[in-house]
Every structure is written in C-alpha cells, then in structure tokens.
Amino acid sequence: MQRHSTRVPRRPVHGVLLLDKPLGFSSNQALQKAKWLLRAEKAGHTGTLDPLATGVLPICFGAATKFSQLHLDADKTYETVVRLGVTTTTGDAEGDVLETRPVTCSVGQVVEVLDRFTGPISQIPPMHSALKKDGKALYEYAREGVTVEREPRAVTIHELELVDLRLEGHEPFLRLRVRCSKGTYIRTLGEDIAAALGCGGHLSLLRRVQTGPFDAGQCITVEALEALPDEQRLQRLLPVQALLPDHTAVTLDSDNAARFLSGVRRRGTWSDLSRVAIYGPPAGTSHTPVLLGSGHTQAGELIPGRLLSPIEIQQILEPAT
C-alpha cells in the first residue's frame, strides 16, 4: 500500500521572529523548524550560532530577508563559561581532550588578562568554524584532520565582564559576559584567555543574550512556538522595519511613493543620510505608514536601496491565513 505524505501548504509570511535557539540545534535546523511551524514560503537568519550555543537568533521571513544582511554588522552580547585547565580539539565541550593542566593563576592575574583582551584585538578563526577557504568550510577540513592557514582578523571587544569564577577545586572556570563586534569568535576568545592564564581551557557554555536591538527577553523557544495556535504564532512576528532601528524615517505621499517604488529617485530638502527607511502613506484600515524599503539621501535626492515589491506590500497589508 502506497503512503502519501501530507504537504504543509505554504503562505507568504513577512516579519522577524526572535527565536531562542535550543542547545544542539544548528542555526539552519532552527530556521527550518520555525519556517515549517509558520508555514512560510521564504525565510533566512541573520548569522549563525554554533550547535553548542543557545540564545537570540532573529529569523527573517519574506520581505525581511532583504534587510537581514544589515543585521550581520550588529554588535552581539554573549554569556559564556570557560572551563579552565582542559583544552579540547574543538575549543568547546564537544571535542576530545588534548591536555589537562593545573590552574595556578590568581584573581588578580585573571583581571589583568581580561583587561588585555578588552578593546581592539586580533583573532585567528578556529578550524571548527563555518568560515570558508577555497570554497570549503573550515570545519570540513577539520573533520578530515587537515589544518589550513588562517589570516588573523581584527575584532573589537567592547566590554568583557567577569561575572563569576572558581580557580581552585573541582572544574575551575570563568563566567564572562562579552559585548563584541561582528566576526568575533567567542570560542577563540575563551581559548586565548585561558592560554594567557597559563592553564588552557575550553568553552563549556555559550549563550547569545543580545544581537543589535534584540535581547533574549523578547525571544520565544521552539517548544513555546510549537504549542501556540497558528494565528498566535504569526502574532509573534515583529514587523519588517524592526530590522531598521538606526535608519532615519522618511514618509512620502502617494504619488512620490509610487514613483519611488519604481526605482525613481525623489528630490527634496533632505540632508545627507547614509541610512534611511522610506514609508508611504497608511493604506486600507491601517493608520501606520507602510514600509517601502531602504535607501540613502545625497544632495537633496532620495536614492532607493532595497525595495519591497508591490506584491509584498499588499501581502503585509492583507496577510494570508
């Protein structure tokens, strides 16, 4: 007897879901789960989290995917635990133990080392990362037992707070809170700090608590999302413009909005602005201006950047059920 699998009917969904990524899920697995639960046609995320990590993972649906790249540049905040005295092959708890060493540093030495890792620093990306070399992810080389040369990268550690520590007894550790620039590898930071303390170490916990304007308190877990009725799942979405918090808002009248959506520059009295969110007048029963896209202003001209399509705008105004 032949079985037929039931296909979930997809629908146009537009907005941002703040998901609390569970432990053990890859970012793509979390994305696919959320996409399935919302029955969305199109989705993407704004930067990966390791399977070891939990926390804030903004997932963009529909028109929001056009602005996800902007969010990759956002500062991030993490809470992490560095297990001192034990180095592993992967720099985290999933790897095999390479070496065990005694922990002999003092609290004063820890504070001094953390000061050295605050501000602009240089990092060599870990082999167990998604960074690509010659079109192949570094972790794929690592799985084959191959180590390739990596160029150091400049990143900035804005804040490095010592939340808790244990330097003696069973499983010595540092608990840190890190606010950093894009491209920072917390696993590498933890390894480098532990190496500077003379004992080595690895990450035993990693949680992203903030990315850009979004924090963990706004997030929903996969389990909680799954437990909601369909309509309430859609209500968890933030509007597309949530990805444009640092953009200056410009609202056009109906005629100029239509021309702008066609890609035509508009003239006005605007000062030069590198990041502008452009809105049209409220439509239908809504009293809220309608997002048309992003752009910039130069020499009194409003210049289109990423634009929503008329179909996307209509779908946002009249969401599918």
Side-chain angles (χ1 to χ4, degrees):
M1 183 176 173
Q2 191 176 7
R3 281 187 167 183
H4 296 278
S5 60
T6 305
R7 286 184 63 84
V8 177
R10 299 289 181 177
R11 60 188 171 185
V13 174
H14 303 279
V16 184
L17 177 73
L18 300 183
L19 195 68
D20 190 333
K21 190 190 82 64
L23 184 69
F25 269 56
S26 70
S27 294
N28 188 57
Q29 285 173 322
L31 164 70
Q32 295 303 330
K33 182 72 172 179
K35 185 179 177 183
W36 183 81
L37 287 171
L38 269 71
R39 297 193 281 119
E41 291 176 346
K42 184 180 181 182
H45 54 66
T46 59
T48 59
L49 273 177
D50 287 346
L52 168 79
T54 65
V56 187
L57 183 68
I59 295 179
C60 301
F61 293 94
T65 60
K66 294 182 174 182
F67 308 103
S68 59
Q69 187 69 28
L70 294 171
H71 198 75
L72 292 175
D73 296 338
D75 288 345
K76 315 285 193 301
T77 302
Y78 297 89
E79 291 177 354
T80 188
V81 174
V82 183
R83 167 69 161 91
L84 298 175
V86 180
T87 56
T88 70
T89 52
T90 58
D92 60 30
E94 295 183 331
D96 297 326
V97 173
L98 284 173
E99 187 181 16
T100 301
R101 298 169 68 181
V103 179
T104 58
C105 56
S106 66
V107 175
Q109 286 172 311
V110 170
V111 172
E112 188 271 328
V113 165
L114 294 183
D115 281 344
R116 279 162 42 195
F117 282 91
T118 304
I121 65 169
S122 179
Q123 285 191 329
I124 296 176
M127 282 301 301
H128 287 268
S129 69
L131 195 67
K132 292 191 175 182
K133 184 177 178 68
D134 300 329
K136 186 174 175 179
L138 291 182
Y139 68 78
E140 294 181 84
Y141 289 105
R143 286 173 184 169
E144 297 166 0
V146 176
T147 300
V148 298
E149 191 172 340
R150 290 97 71 205
E151 290 294 321
R153 294 166 59 147
V155 298
T156 302
I157 308 299
H158 300 296
E159 293 176 23
L160 183 52
E161 179 187 355
L162 179 61
V163 178
D164 194 11
L165 83 168
R166 180 169 63 221
L167 300 179
E168 298 176 352
H170 183 60
E171 296 191 357
F173 69 87
L174 305 177
R175 184 180 293 274
L176 307 172
R177 185 179 175 92
V178 185
R179 186 169 68 84
C180 56
S181 67
K182 70 166 184 175
T184 302
Y185 289 98
I186 304 300
R187 186 171 15 175
T188 299
L189 179 66
E191 285 186 298
D192 290 348
I193 288 170
L197 290 170
C199 57
H202 67 271
L203 289 200
S204 61
L205 177 145
L206 179 60
R207 178 166 177 78
R208 186 157 69 188
V209 295
Q210 186 160 12
T211 173
F214 309 128
D215 65 59
Q218 299 171 274
C219 294
I220 187 169
T221 64
V222 170
E223 293 82 4
L225 186 66
E226 201 163 13
L228 290 176
D230 184 64
E231 187 57 38
Q232 289 184 33
R233 289 175 188 165
L234 290 174
Q235 291 171 8
R236 291 292 311 197
L237 291 174
L238 298 176
V240 176
Q241 54 264 36
L243 292 171
L244 308 173
D246 57 348
H247 285 54
T248 302
V250 168
T251 303
L252 302 175
D253 59 30
S254 297
D255 182 55
N256 280 303
R259 290 173 181 273
F260 181 80
L261 268 184
S262 299
V264 180
R265 299 182 179 195
R266 311 313 301 142
R267 289 211 62 83
T269 57
W270 303 289
S271 56
D272 290 0
L273 297 166
S274 60
R275 292 189 166 195
V276 176
I278 302 96
Y279 295 85
T285 58
S286 172
H287 300 290
T288 306
V290 178
L291 180 69
L292 306 178
S294 65
H296 67 281
T297 53
Q298 187 175 0
E301 280 194 321
L302 181 61
I303 302 165
R306 306 288 304 211
L307 299 179
L308 275 66
S309 71
I311 291 175
E312 288 170 333
I313 293 171
Q314 191 62 37
Q315 290 169 346
I316 291 170
L317 292 171
E318 299 174 4
T321 57

